[in-house]
Amino acid sequence: MHNRVFIVDDDRLTCNLLKTIVEPIFKQVEIFQHPLEFLTLALNSEDIILLDLMMPEMDGIEVIRHLAQQNCPASLMLISGYDSGVLHSAETLALSCGLNVTKTFTKPINTNVLTDLLTTLSDEQTKREFSGTHNDEFKQDTFEFIPTEKDLRDAIDNKQLVLYYQPQINMETQCIHGAEALIRWLHPEFGIVPPDKFIALAERTGLIEQVTEVVIQSAISQSVQWQNVDKAIRLSINISAQNINSLKLPEQLKMLVKQYELDPSLIVLELTESTLMDSEVTSLDILTRLRLKGFQLSIDDFGTGYSSLSQLHKIPFTELKIDQSFVANMKKEHESKAIVETCIMLAHKLNMEVVAEGVEDKQTWDLLLAEGCDIAQGYYIAKPMPVNEFDKWQCERELLMHSGVSKVKDSILHYY
């Protein structure tokens, strides 16, 4: 299959302009000024659609709805001269419907950007064809591991659940501020199993308290080891809804840090907004007592829930963590950038530190720094690492800082 490009726009001049841009790159170009005719086509994953939102016969939102109903696999580019907010909402709708939105354009269209994007898509098509021709003999069937309750119980009993650590950096000083403790399952057969494969299972089966206990015990134990070598590192630990419904939690944590002679302010308990919705009175009781005992509280994925401001008003949070979806999009979306700016301003007004997660590149780092963000976390800084790699990374960074290298290294790393 080769790329076919379909231009769906009621304006003849726009169609001709787009065809002039597309044809030198892709030979198969068709224009549809009437969307109903276009929707009769059978589309494949190699097809590209340039769709205008403002059309009198059927608007672009209706076309998106029909494409979603057909589970359309084609690449979709949205165009509008009406309003950037409407264009953003249309993109969000299409992505929510499972469509593959590759780019949005406001009119007048930036022809250079469009040409570069189409050229990239053409190059990717060529690479896939080459790969398919020459590498078929290396393709192997893969088996996706779907754990059962017994698998997870065995993992807990056999100590297969371990922690990886992702650094958090003070943006002003560029010194290490702390690290987030992220759980991984080291399976003897399937290797590293990410948390999204087993956390939901743990919550359904009631094993989440045992999983969280593993995380807390491991994190505090590691924190003590760092403290013993004069490297006190603040650790962020994720807490589930079941955990904050346990009235015993504050005392258990207090006894644990007292046993290890650890400063409780080095432990940050991260909670998402959704975990606070079920039992507000109980969670407010527990979280207030945790703060009284010296632990830090962070509201995670801020901005994705439905009661953000209400939670900030009621619960004594010390840290606000901006959801990575806003951070990742702030360099290309005015709306996301505005949300990030507002979150930073709001948190500072409430005497809270701000952590931006999902910092992937220098441009995002610079935007956050200009807005006064306190702490950054993401692959631009470092990936989540087992403790031995984290210690090595920390030593190397300290050497760089001491040698006068003040800028964060731009390291493009892959997710586990």
Side-chain angles (χ1 to χ4, degrees), residues 135-144:
N135 295 330
D136 285 347
E137 63 184 289
F138 299 108
K139 292 179 181 177
Q140 298 178 354
D141 293 331
T142 57
F143 175 78
E144 185 173 358

Side-chain angles (χ1 to χ4, degrees), residues 1-7 19 22-31 44 47-48:
M1 294 183 293
H2 293 275
N3 292 95
R4 300 178 297 173
V5 179
F6 301 104
I7 301 168
K19 188 175 182 181
V22 174
E23 275 189 328
I25 305 168
F26 299 112
K27 300 302 180 185
Q28 299 185 63
V29 183
E30 292 186 51
I31 292 174
N44 61 62
D47 293 330
I48 300 169

Side-chain angles (χ1 to χ4, degrees), residues 346 360 416:
L346 176 63
E360 302 292 314
Y416 276 96

Side-chain angles (χ1 to χ4, degrees), residues 282-318:
T282 303
S283 61
L284 185 57
D285 175 323
I286 294 163
L287 295 174
T288 304
R289 290 178 64 229
L290 284 167
R291 282 291 294 120
L292 287 172
K293 295 180 186 303
F295 296 96
Q296 305 294 310
L297 296 179
S298 174
I299 183 164
D300 197 7
D301 298 339
F302 185 77
T304 60
Y306 296 99
S307 58
S308 305
L309 294 179
S310 173
Q311 302 295 358
L312 288 183
H313 175 67
K314 294 174 183 176
I315 297 172
F317 288 107
T318 56

Side-chain angles (χ1 to χ4, degrees), residues 197-212:
K197 294 290 185 183
F198 62 89
I199 292 299
L201 171 66
E203 292 175 337
R204 288 196 309 271
T205 58
L207 291 173
I208 190 64
E209 288 193 28
Q210 292 182 51
V211 171
T212 305

